[in-house]
Amino acid sequence: NAGVTQTPKFRVLKTGQSMTLLCAQDMNHEYMYWYRQDPGMGLRLIHYSVGEGTTAKGEVPDGYNVSRLKKQNFLLGLESAAPSQTSVYFCASSLTGWTVSGALHFGNGTRLTVT
Amino acid sequence: GENVEQHPSTLSVQEGDSAVIKCTYSDSASNYFPWYKQELGKRPQLIIDIRSNVGEKKDQRIAVTLNKTAKHFSLHITETQPEDSAVYFCAAPEAGGSYIPTFGRGTSLIVHP
């Protein structure tokens, strides 16, 4: 099993450009999450999904959109990138709701720089 | 997130000493309490977790203790080693019963040889 795979690993965007980050998991997990990590701020939840075809907003959703068309994939989109979106983005998945099944499995992260 | 407070933000110890990191949460309905370790440039990984029906859980040099009355849980690392140097995160659900995990801001542990 590959676990949780994120692509790309690195990306540099100019302000106003758009891009999509892809997250794929092969563990048949129901729940998937997108976090951003900034120095001193921990991991902040952007959006999450509790199953195929569902999405919901997290703590910092503005400027991002997501889609979960297939159970194994969770896409994070930036329609018009801003320098404030410079961050490391982590995707994670869990078998069911985290209080039931526990561990979040994280991908290796995507380092995004917006100039 | 503000529902989860983690202290201290940095912790510096000598090799062989013990380290304790505390996490305070707000949702009294929480029943699952994990700790994650993130090495520099790597992804967070679960190292230990505890459910609310027990007060303590140990796994070799690491342990987690839970005080549900005071709404806090702590990570204990004994006989620290340089490879324990990392950022440690606790997590708890958002207040209001959403059951979506919110992470503390992290503790940077530095173990000096």
Side-chain angles (χ1 to χ4, degrees), chain B residues 6-37:
Chain B
Q6 189 175 335
H7 296 282
S9 57
T10 60
L11 181 57
S12 183
V13 300
Q14 289 295 129
E15 183 176 358
D17 289 349
S18 295
V20 181
I21 304 169
K22 183 177 177 179
C23 187
T24 303
Y25 60 95
S26 59
D27 189 351
S28 57
S30 298
N31 60 4
Y32 173 69
F33 308 93
W35 284 96
Y36 288 80
K37 176 183 180 182

Side-chain angles (χ1 to χ4, degrees), chain A residues 54-66:
Chain A
T54 75
T55 63
K57 294 181 180 179
E59 181 186 355
V60 289
D62 293 343
Y64 305 94
N65 56 76
V66 288

Side-chain angles (χ1 to χ4, degrees), chain B:
Chain B
E2 293 180 1
N3 294 322
V4 181
E5 292 189 4
Q6 189 175 335
H7 296 282
S9 57
T10 60
L11 181 57
S12 183
V13 300
Q14 289 295 129
E15 183 176 358
D17 289 349
S18 295
V20 181
I21 304 169
K22 183 177 177 179
C23 187
T24 303
Y25 60 95
S26 59
D27 189 351
S28 57
S30 298
N31 60 4
Y32 173 69
F33 308 93
W35 284 96
Y36 288 80
K37 176 183 180 182
Q38 185 179 27
E39 297 176 354
L40 189 63
K42 302 284 182 67
R43 59 185 168 183
Q45 291 189 292
L46 179 75
I47 55 170
I48 195 167
D49 55 13
I50 192 170
R51 295 195 180 273
S52 58
N53 57 343
V54 296
E56 183 177 5
K57 181 178 177 180
K58 288 183 179 179
D59 183 2
Q60 300 183 334
R61 294 186 299 106
I62 61 173
V64 54
T65 58
L66 172 64
N67 184 327
K68 283 215 76 178
T69 303
K71 291 193 284 188
H72 67 73
F73 59 109
S74 298
L75 176 68
H76 304 256
I77 306 175
T78 58
E79 300 173 27
T80 54
Q81 301 169 3
E83 52 264 37
D84 295 328
S85 296
V87 178
Y88 293 82
F89 294 97
C90 63
E94 291 179 334
S98 74
Y99 302 109
I100 296 301
T102 299
F103 285 83
R105 294 194 174 193
T107 297
S108 177
L109 173 64
I110 303 168
V111 180
H112 299 279

